Structures are given as structure tokens and as C-alpha cells.
Amino acid sequence: MSVAKNYLYNVSYQIFTLIVPLVTTPYITRVLGSNGVGANAYTNSIIQYFILFGSVGVSLYGNRSIAYQRDNKEQMSNTFWSVVTMRFITIALAYLAFLIFLLFTTKFRLIYIFQSIQIIAAALDISWLFMGLEDFRKTVLRNIVVKLISTSMIFLCVHSKEDLGIYVFVLSASIILGNLSLWWGLKAYVNKPNLRKIRPFIHLRESIVLFIPQISMQIYLVLNKTMLGNMDGVVSAGYYENSDKIVKMLLAVVTSIATVMLPRMANTYARRDFKKLNQYLYSTIDFVTYTSVLMVAGIAGVSPKFAVWFMGSDFAITGGLIAVLSLVCPAIAWSTVIGSQYLVTTNQTNKFTFAVTFGAVLNLVSNLLLIPLFGVMGAVISTVLSEFAITLIDILLIRRQINVQRLFTDKWKCVLIGVVTFALVRKLNDMWAGTFACLFVEVVFAAGMYLIGTTLLRDKVVIMALSVLRNKVRSRQSNEK
């Protein structure tokens, strides 16, 4: 399947995931309140550690391995069943560790049990197979169906603060249901398991190599909520969770291109076509920069009134948090492309590990310093600092392999227009009411201003998009003749 189709599938899903929270988040924040939302965020952050250690880097390793071997079905099938077996074993050990943890826990015990369904679900996740095969259609359609079911169940079953356990159970059960659905029709992709050729532990070492940076990544993605819950209360963890959720939902639309390009680049690297590999890198960086700067200008501009309209007055504080946290969009976009897409596919995992580990340590230290001083805003500032540090290190690590100047060419155009767009949108947000109609007009205005400004400055992405559009029009006209 082509990169364009895979990207459209992935982006369609990400847009869908933007729409679903527009319906559920305002409802949940009002029904469960800041304490309920915070309790869910805090307990889920703890469960993510067990999932992380049980998964031992399989998602990245499996994706890359399938991409390397997809031209040899027998070899790919043996690898698939070996990796699946390994993950079953490691997840079983992770769940045993969770049960031991539960023996020493009294607060939120029932919530933890419902959250732990996600650990079991992780054992059944084989989405990495389809990503490696560049078949994003199956996972996207599955996720859409499952989210529709879980959204319906939330409205049917969650009606008060006492329904927090039901809410967590619905979310966790939907994950395991979605992962189970991927096994349907598996025989069309891989051969039946040959028990004599299943070697689960020969993949353990390489998987752990990719697991190490994922530990670091998880630390600065989840540790903020854990530390806020312990140092500033679960309410602050809830504020951070909702602010982070909104920014990451938008960012997912941008980073979808990296998800789609990873197996394509892995296969290109396996064929030793380094020129095309670097071309993929430059083009992807251009695209994610253009879109991520627009995201920052838009969401930071509307965040004060948007937060109150979207989540209620109890979450008004998140308006400022979202504005600051949105700055991570271009940094994460770059580090995802350079780290997860380029360094991982070219077997430079040690460099990838160093960058994310440095970011995790910086995040931990800055949290310890800033959370006592600024509360939840301290955690937000720590996140921004960590993400930019990772991006800077990634660039330094690959400076001898690529043309670094090419990475930065024309990027000032996006930044300049982005700043102007943000200033104008924020002015409108200050003057207008926080209604859906006003917010919608502000978002459309932001997109229009950004597009016009970057077109006038002849930004590289706009020129390329216009060129592709012209070629398609000419091709259609010639076919009609």
C-alpha cells in the first residue's frame, strides 16, 4: 500500500480520535469531576509501567523486524510467532509483578484491578505486524469500531462520580477487545506456527535494546502524572492529564507520518538505498514542521476560552497549561522523525537510547525542582524542556550523516507566520465569547492566516503541495482528452 494511502488511513483515524474526545471529555470532566479524572490519570500512569516492562520493546522491534523480512513469508512467520510467544511470557511476569504490587496497595485497589486489564490486552496486541507490512487499514478500521463501542458504553453506563470504576473498566475492556479483533483473519498474513522453529528468546536481546529507550520515553510521558499525584495531589495530575491529552491528540495527526514512514524506511534501509532514505527524512521533517507550527499557533491561541468551553470552569487552569504545553509539538515531531523513524530503522538504537534517556533524566530533575515551586505548571515546563533537549541531541547525533543545514532551510518562514497567527488568534480569543461558533471561526481564521502567510513567503511544503496538485489536474485533463 502506498505511503499516501497509509497516511490518509492513519490521519483519518487521528481525526476521528479528535472528534471522540470532543464528545466524551466535556461529559466525563463534568460527571466524574477533577478528583475522578485525576484518580484515573494517576492509577493509569502506574499501570503503564507494568505494560512497559511486560512489552519489552516489542512494538518497535516487531515493526522493524517484519519490515525487514516481509519479502520472505516463512522467515517472517517464524519471527512473528517467536516474538508473540516472548511477549506472552514477559506480560505474564509483568502481571505477576502487578499482583504483588496490589498486595501492598489499599487506595484505589478496585480501580487498579480494572486498569490491569490493559496489561493482559498488551499481550494480545499484534498491531506491529500490520505496521511492518504497511497495512494500516486493518488497525485503523478496528480502532474506529472499538472507539465507537466504548464511547457508546460511556454514555450508557457512566452517570455519576461513583461510576469511576465503570468508566475505567469500559476503557480497559475496549482495548482488549480491539487487540483480540486483530487476530481474526491472521492466517492471510502469516503461516501457521511451526513449534520447532519458535525461538522466543533469540529476539529478547534486540527487543531489550529497543526497550531501554522506551523506558526513558515512558518516564517523561507518564512520570509527570505520577509525581504530580504524589507531590501535588491527584487533582493536579488530572489537570496535566487533560492538557496533555488535548495537545497529544493534535500532535498525533502530525506524527502519523512518522508511523507510516517507519516500515517504509526500514525496508529502504534493508535494501541499502541510503540516498532515498535521506530524502524520506528531509521530506518528513519539512512536513511535520509545517503542520506542527500551525498546531501550536492554533491551540495556544484559543486555549483560554477553549479549556472552559470544553472541560468546564473547574478546568479553567488548563487554558494556560495547554498554551505552554503546545510548544512541545514541533520538538516531538522532530524527535519522532529523527529518533523513532531514522535512528531505529538504521540500527542506531544506542544513539536513540542516549537522547531519550537524557530527556528522561532532565525531566525527573526539573520536576523535582519545579513542581514544588509552580505545581502543575512546573511539570508542564519540565516536559517542554525535556522534549527540546531530546530534539537537540538527536540533531547533534546525526549531524555527520545528513545535511543539517537542509533540515533547517526555510523553517523560519513557518515560525514567523506561526507567531503572527498566534498573536492575532489570541487577540480574537480575548475579545470574543467562548462559544463553539466563536472558537470554530478562530480555528478557521488561524488555518487561513497560516496558509496565506506561508504561501506568500513561498514555503517549501506549500510549493510542493501546489506542484503535486497542478500535476494531478494536468493528468486528469490529459486523460479526459
Side-chain angles (χ1 to χ4, degrees):
M1 191 176 289
S2 70
V3 171
K5 284 187 178 180
N6 278 327
Y7 179 66
L8 287 174
Y9 273 120
N10 227 12
V11 167
S12 298
Y13 173 66
Q14 298 305 336
I15 292 173
F16 177 77
T17 61
L18 291 177
I19 296 172
V20 170
L22 286 174
V23 178
T24 58
T25 300
Y27 177 76
I28 289 301
T29 53
R30 288 164 173 82
V31 171
L32 297 182
S34 55
N35 278 297
V37 171
N40 174 55
Y42 177 71
T43 55
N44 184 261
S45 73
I46 301 297
I47 291 298
Q48 292 305 314
Y49 296 122
F50 293 102
I51 294 174
L52 173 70
F53 282 92
S55 298
V56 288
V58 164
S59 294
L60 272 177
Y61 174 74
N63 185 344
R64 190 183 69 180
S65 297
I66 296 299
Y68 283 165
Q69 301 172 2
R70 66 189 185 198
D71 296 327
N72 186 329
K73 189 174 182 180
E74 183 179 355
Q75 186 177 350
M76 182 190 73
S77 298
N78 292 334
T79 296
F80 169 77
W81 290 113
S82 296
V83 172
V84 165
T85 304
M86 179 187 72
R87 195 173 200 179
F88 281 164
I89 295 170
T90 54
I91 288 292
L93 293 174
Y95 201 85
L96 178 62
F98 164 74
L99 293 176
I100 295 172
F101 161 80
L102 200 62
L103 292 175
F104 299 94
T105 304
T106 55
K107 194 174 183 181
F108 303 128
R109 176 170 286 186
L110 182 61
I111 303 301
Y112 275 123
I113 292 173
F114 289 149
Q115 295 275 20
S116 72
I117 296 172
Q118 297 179 50
I119 304 175
I120 301 170
L124 301 169
D125 182 13
I126 55 171
S127 58
W128 46 271
L129 167 67
F130 302 100
M131 291 179 183
L133 292 171
E134 295 192 65
D135 182 2
F136 288 80
R137 179 176 178 272
K138 188 176 181 68
T139 54
V140 166
L141 294 178
R142 175 214 69 172
N143 285 332
I144 289 176
V145 171
V146 169
K147 280 195 173 292
L148 286 173
I149 294 172
S150 63
T151 300
S152 301
M153 293 302 296
I154 286 170
F155 285 110
L156 288 172
C157 303
V158 181
H159 304 295
S160 68
K161 293 181 180 179
E162 285 69 38
D163 293 334
L164 173 62
I166 297 174
Y167 174 66
V168 172
F169 176 79
V170 168
L171 292 180
S172 300
S174 67
I175 296 173
I176 198 168
L177 175 64
N179 290 346
L180 276 170
S181 69
L182 285 177
W183 291 77
W184 183 265
L186 184 63
K187 62 182 180 180
Y189 297 89
V190 296
N191 299 330
K192 291 182 179 180
N194 185 336
L195 298 180
R196 290 178 299 177
K197 293 188 177 180
I198 292 179
R199 302 286 188 272
F201 297 110
I202 66 170
H203 299 281
L204 186 60
R205 181 183 175 278
E206 282 296 317
S207 189
I208 289 176
V209 169
L210 286 174
F211 171 55
I212 295 171
Q214 284 188 294
I215 294 175
S216 301
M217 290 172 69
Q218 196 74 358
I219 286 174
Y220 67 80
L221 290 175
V222 179
L223 187 61
N224 292 324
K225 287 175 281 188
T226 306
M227 293 183 72
L228 278 169
N230 289 323
M231 298 171 67
D232 206 42
V234 294
V235 173
S236 290
Y239 291 147
Y240 182 91
E241 163 82 356
N242 275 22
S243 303
D244 184 63
K245 185 188 299 181
I246 290 168
V247 172
K248 294 296 172 61
M249 283 189 303
L250 293 172
L251 185 61
V253 176
V254 181
T255 55
S256 287
I257 187 64
T259 304
V260 169
M261 289 300 297
L262 192 152
R264 176 62 57 93
M265 290 188 71
N267 192 255
T268 302
Y269 175 73
R271 291 186 280 105
R272 320 305 286 177
D273 190 347
F274 299 110
K275 183 178 180 180
K276 181 172 287 187
L277 191 71
N278 287 348
Q279 287 175 348
Y280 283 148
L281 175 66
Y282 298 138
S283 298
T284 310
I285 286 289
D286 290 340
F287 177 80
V288 299
T289 302
Y290 185 88
T291 49
S292 62
V293 172
L294 171 59
M295 295 290 183
V296 175
I299 191 61
V302 304
S303 60
K305 298 283 177 65
F306 171 79
V308 176
W309 170 79
F310 190 54
M311 292 175 280
S313 57
D314 286 350
F315 288 80
I317 186 178
T318 59
L321 301 178
I322 292 168
V324 177
L325 194 59
S326 68
L327 294 173
V328 304
C329 287
I332 292 179
W334 276 54
S335 63
T336 300
V337 173
I338 298 174
S340 300
Q341 182 180 311
Y342 184 81
L343 291 177
V344 170
T345 57
T346 55
N347 282 324
Q348 300 183 73
T349 314
N350 58 332
K351 295 179 180 179
F352 179 53
T353 302
F354 175 77
V356 295
T357 301
F358 181 88
V361 173
L362 177 61
N363 186 71
L364 174 62
V365 173
S366 55
N367 269 342
L368 290 172
L369 296 173
L370 297 177
I371 289 178
L373 294 175
F374 305 110
V376 63
M377 181 58 83
V380 168
I381 295 171
S382 295
T383 302
V384 175
L385 291 174
S386 301
E387 295 294 354
F388 274 94
I390 292 169
T391 302
L392 178 60
I393 291 172
D394 279 338
I395 294 170
L396 292 174
L397 290 174
I398 65 170
R399 70 188 186 280
R400 300 185 187 280
Q401 303 173 33
I402 63 166
N403 184 346
V404 175
Q405 186 178 353
R406 167 65 180 80
L407 289 181
F408 291 95
T409 302
D410 284 352
K411 301 302 182 292
W412 65 270
K413 298 176 181 178
C414 296
V415 175
L416 175 62
I417 300 302
V419 171
V420 173
T421 300
F422 161 75
L424 293 174
V425 173
R426 175 55 69 88
K427 186 67 176 178
L428 292 177
N429 192 257
D430 290 339
M431 294 190 302
W432 292 357
T435 62
F436 173 78
C438 291
L439 291 169
F440 180 77
V441 172
E442 289 166 24
V443 170
V444 173
F445 175 79
M449 277 295 301
Y450 188 76
L451 179 61
I452 292 170
T454 50
T455 301
L456 291 174
L457 291 180
R458 297 184 62 79
D459 180 82
K460 190 181 301 180
V461 173
V462 177
I463 298 302
M464 183 177 66
L466 291 174
S467 176
V468 171
L469 184 61
R470 279 196 301 267
N471 290 336
K472 285 191 174 183
V473 171
R474 288 171 184 170
S475 176
R476 181 174 297 178
Q477 288 174 345
S478 62
N479 289 335
E480 290 175 353
K481 293 178 181 178

